[in-house]
Amino acid sequence: MTISPDSRIAVVTGASSGIGEATARTLAAQGFHVVVGARRLDRLERLAEEIGGTALELDVTDEDSVDAFTTVLPRVDVLINNAGGAKGLATVAEAVEEDWRWMWETNVLGTLRITKALIPKLIASGDGLIVTITSVAALEAYDNGSGYTTAKHAQAVLHRTLRGELLGQPVRLTEIAPGAVETEFSLVRFDGDRERADKVYEGITPLVAQDIADIIGFVASRPSHVNLDQIVVKPRDQASAGRFHRTTDQS
Ligand code: NAP
């Protein structure tokens, strides 16, 4: 990786689509050298070329992959823990263990692996920032969502714990908890079922990935004594995780 020694480096996990991709563009426009990680390398390479960043394959569920990704980084100023998602919508009585494992591995242990590996570099930067994308599912429980809500609660508590553990170190921590954002999220949740995914956003004006990227850009550009601890952001049409104003009938 050839990066000028004066460049500040921002790492964005899950940058091959949605919130991560938009965030990589925003941070690059703010002058960061952005290192983008995800499993779909072809998409990352196109993005890195566009923004003058670096594309590196990353599977946050795989210890060796995280190791290879984090050891080549010469320095890290900003870490955006964004890789994650949901699988299915099932009651506890019908929970699918394989889906739970995917959600816990990706959102919780994935965030743990990357963060743990990069803490020394974030501290060494002298002015580090960790942003973790949790969800309104990290603040509320909702029916049929337990695999995702438990994973997002755990990911959020990991992040909030670190806020205390890093007190006194030059690292800020921000949790962003979005409501409905139209990305590939629902397509992944419903295993590629486009019709079912589209229904999630039917009759509302959802957030878009750039709305979250704008917030991250704001957080990253505050002076270093200002720590935005937690930001909850929802579309105007959404009052809670499961309560929407829709112009269409969902029944
Ligand atoms: P998305 O478009 O599906 O993006 C998810 C990203 O995570 C993709 O780039 C995907 O890349 C990456 N990813 C998944 N598994 C990975 C793994 N094992 N290793 C590395 N990267 C992995 O969805 P999004 O909405 O932008 O989601 C981003 C984050 O926001 C997630 O943490 C999600 O839980 C959270 N969030 C989303 C919403 C929403 O309504 N969309 C609301 C609240 C919170 P590859 O498949 O190429 O690896």
Side-chain angles (χ1 to χ4, degrees):
M1 193 183 312
T2 42
I3 302 169
S4 130
D6 323 317
S7 283
R8 296 190 78 216
I9 295 185
V11 173
V12 182
T13 70
S16 60
S17 75
I19 295 169
E21 182 180 347
T23 300
R25 286 202 181 91
T26 296
L27 293 177
Q30 288 183 349
F32 287 97
H33 182 98
V34 184
V35 177
V36 289
R39 294 164 304 177
R40 289 170 291 181
L41 189 59
D42 51 333
R43 287 188 180 208
L44 293 181
E45 279 171 344
R46 280 199 297 274
L47 176 64
E49 193 172 319
E50 177 197 319
I51 64 174
T54 301
L56 292 176
E57 199 168 344
L58 169 68
D59 181 349
V60 296
T61 70
D62 176 347
E63 188 96 48
D64 292 338
S65 170
V66 171
D67 207 37
F69 181 88
T70 53
T71 48
V72 294
L73 301 170
R75 61 177 284 168
V76 178
D77 300 271
V78 172
L79 165 63
I80 312 296
N81 279 319
N82 167 74
K87 282 274 181 202
L89 268 176
T91 60
V92 172
E94 290 181 348
V96 180
E97 239 187 76
E98 194 190 328
D99 288 347
W100 272 62
R101 207 165 278 119
W102 188 95
M103 289 186 268
W104 276 74
E105 268 293 339
T106 310
N107 295 284
V108 188
L109 293 168
T111 298
L112 172 66
R113 287 188 190 99
I114 289 281
T115 307
K116 190 176 164 192
L118 294 182
I119 284 172
K121 285 176 183 167
L122 285 154
I123 292 175
S125 77
D127 186 13
L129 169 68
I130 300 172
V131 176
T132 303
I133 310 302
T134 64
S135 170
V136 289
L139 307 169
E140 292 175 51
Y142 58 85
D143 294 356
N144 305 306
S146 60
Y148 187 56
T149 55
T150 57
K152 283 301 193 186
H153 273 72
Q155 180 196 31
V157 173
L158 182 173
H159 172 95
R160 293 172 208 157
T161 303
L162 199 54
R163 170 81 170 102
E165 289 176 356
L166 290 183
L167 205 58
Q169 297 291 350
V171 181
R172 288 179 288 159
L173 282 105
T174 300
E175 175 189 349
I176 301 182
V181 190
E182 191 164 10
T183 60
E184 292 179 13
F185 175 85
S186 294
L187 205 59
V188 172
R189 175 169 236 173
F190 300 127
D191 255 335
D193 183 338
R194 167 64 65 191
E195 209 179 311
R196 217 175 151 198
D198 286 348
K199 266 210 154 328
V200 174
Y201 312 104
E202 216 174 71
I204 63 164
T205 304
L207 298 173
V208 294
Q210 191 58 46
D211 295 323
I212 310 303
D214 289 345
I215 293 167
I216 295 172
F218 177 77
V219 167
S221 57
R222 292 313 84 206
S224 44
H225 68 286
V226 178
N227 196 102
L228 284 143
D229 280 58
Q230 189 183 52
I231 299 169
V232 184
V233 51
K234 298 190 282 260
R236 188 178 62 190
D237 291 335
Q238 181 179 20
S240 66
R243 193 163 164 234
F244 292 87
H245 167 77
R246 292 188 195 270
T247 55
T248 49
D249 183 4
Q250 287 260 302
S251 56

